[in-house]
Amino acid sequence: MADSEGSVEQKFSLQEVLDTFKLCLSENKEVYLQHYVAGWRGLVKFLNSLGSVFGFISKDAVNKIQVLVSHLNGENGSQYVTVQSMVKYELDNELVDLTKRGGHPESGCRTLLRLHRALRWLELFLERLRTSTEDSKTSVMCADAYNESLAQHHPWVVRKAAGMAFCMLPGRQAFLEVMNVGPPEQVVAMLGEALPLISEVYQITEELYSQHNLLDLP
Ligand code: 1Q0
């Protein structure tokens, strides 16, 4: 929304995130890294608007985003246009630590894998939110989605901290409001539109990583 001075508000909007995920897939179903990263930027913006208890999460996400952006803007940036080209380039040139951490702690492949796993959490969480009722608790939906996905890849101390942060989430109604979409029915409709896109991006990346045995990168 433009204010009286004509500047545009930097508020989170679900529509914006939806739009970036729409742009993620090329005609032949490759995933554009630039838009993938932009989608995460939008989500981080949302997370930041929920308060500083989520700072340790958004900090890690921002770090990962920055690593990918520096690959994109680096001298071999043209190899990073899609996730598919990134995987090929890094594997062909032995730029990935495959079994234990070593010379390539910030490979695009291992960095994106962390966001990829988080995308599964997002998909599960948003699906719960979409089908929730007025008395559903966001903290429970969030924790259930987390335990089913990301938690399996996190050590105890991170799981503990995440669990504590989830308890600080706003209730369902306030949560839907900060999404800036409109009344709850509209949020639900938009989630119904966004979820298949997020899910498709997830599935395509998952298959790619599985084909190349990259799902457990250290
Ligand atoms: C709404 C509440 C947000 C909850 C986010 C759930 C994820 C919890 C994850 C806790 C991460 C803790 C920080 C450190 C983790 C790293 O150890 C780990 C592994 O990396 P590495 O380099 O040590 O191997 N990193 C990760 O697993 C990446 C985690 C990225 C999480 C990104 C979350 C971004 C949040 C977005 C808010 C979405 C709000 C949804 C509603 C919006 C509607 C479209």
Side-chain angles (χ1 to χ4, degrees):
M1 201 191 293
D3 63 23
S4 54
E5 266 126 34
S7 63
V8 176
E9 272 179 43
Q10 283 296 300
K11 257 187 171 177
F12 171 86
S13 103
L14 178 58
Q15 182 69 58
E16 216 178 278
V17 174
L18 173 61
D19 290 344
T20 48
F21 279 106
K22 261 187 198 153
L23 292 172
C24 264
L25 287 181
S26 74
E27 250 172 56
N28 57 345
K29 305 281 180 195
E30 297 206 359
V31 179
Y32 289 122
L33 193 55
Q34 188 196 348
H35 299 301
Y36 191 90
V37 162
W40 279 106
R41 270 197 206 287
L43 291 166
V44 166
K45 213 200 282 180
F46 179 79
L47 192 60
N48 287 338
S49 76
L50 295 179
S52 55
V53 275
F54 302 99
F56 75 106
I57 302 174
S58 85
K59 219 180 191 174
D60 187 67
V62 167
N63 274 336
K64 306 261 184 297
I65 290 169
Q66 275 167 352
V67 169
L68 292 173
V69 168
S70 62
H71 284 305
L72 263 171
N73 294 338
E75 54 179 324
N76 297 306
S78 61
Q79 311 281 358
Y80 287 83
V81 172
T82 66
V83 176
Q84 285 73 5
S85 67
M86 172 189 85
V87 165
K88 181 168 178 359
Y89 169 70
E90 290 195 342
L91 288 180
D92 286 354
N93 292 282
E94 294 177 27
L95 296 171
V96 186
D97 293 334
L98 294 170
T99 49
K100 59 176 175 32
R101 302 202 71 173
H104 306 288
E106 297 201 326
S107 70
C109 286
R110 70 89 59 195
T111 304
L112 187 117
L113 176 62
R114 272 57 187 177
L115 294 179
H116 169 68
R117 290 168 177 164
L119 196 65
R120 177 68 181 152
W121 162 80
L122 184 72
E123 185 187 352
L124 294 170
F125 174 58
L126 294 183
E127 179 56 19
R128 281 177 166 80
L129 194 62
R130 189 182 73 85
T131 52
S132 63
T133 53
E134 256 169 63
D135 55 353
S136 302
K137 283 199 168 3
T138 43
S139 55
V140 173
M141 295 187 266
C142 190
D144 287 349
Y146 175 75
N147 290 332
E148 225 181 276
S149 57
L150 262 182
Q152 295 156 26
H153 304 284
H154 287 162
W156 182 85
V157 53
V158 171
R159 293 202 302 267
K160 198 79 193 153
M164 275 158 36
F166 298 158
C167 295
M168 307 300 282
L169 280 174
R172 179 177 178 274
Q173 200 188 329
F175 195 91
L176 295 181
E177 272 164 23
V178 275
M179 287 166 103
N180 270 321
V181 175
E185 315 80 71
Q186 230 162 297
V187 181
V188 167
M190 195 170 283
L191 286 175
E193 204 187 313
L195 271 161
L197 292 168
I198 292 173
S199 166
E200 194 176 10
V201 170
Y202 177 82
Q203 283 309 331
I204 290 172
T205 312
E206 178 76 7
E207 256 160 55
L208 177 74
Y209 268 61
S210 155
Q211 276 164 11
H212 292 92
N213 272 322
L214 300 175
L215 286 168
D216 294 308
L217 290 180

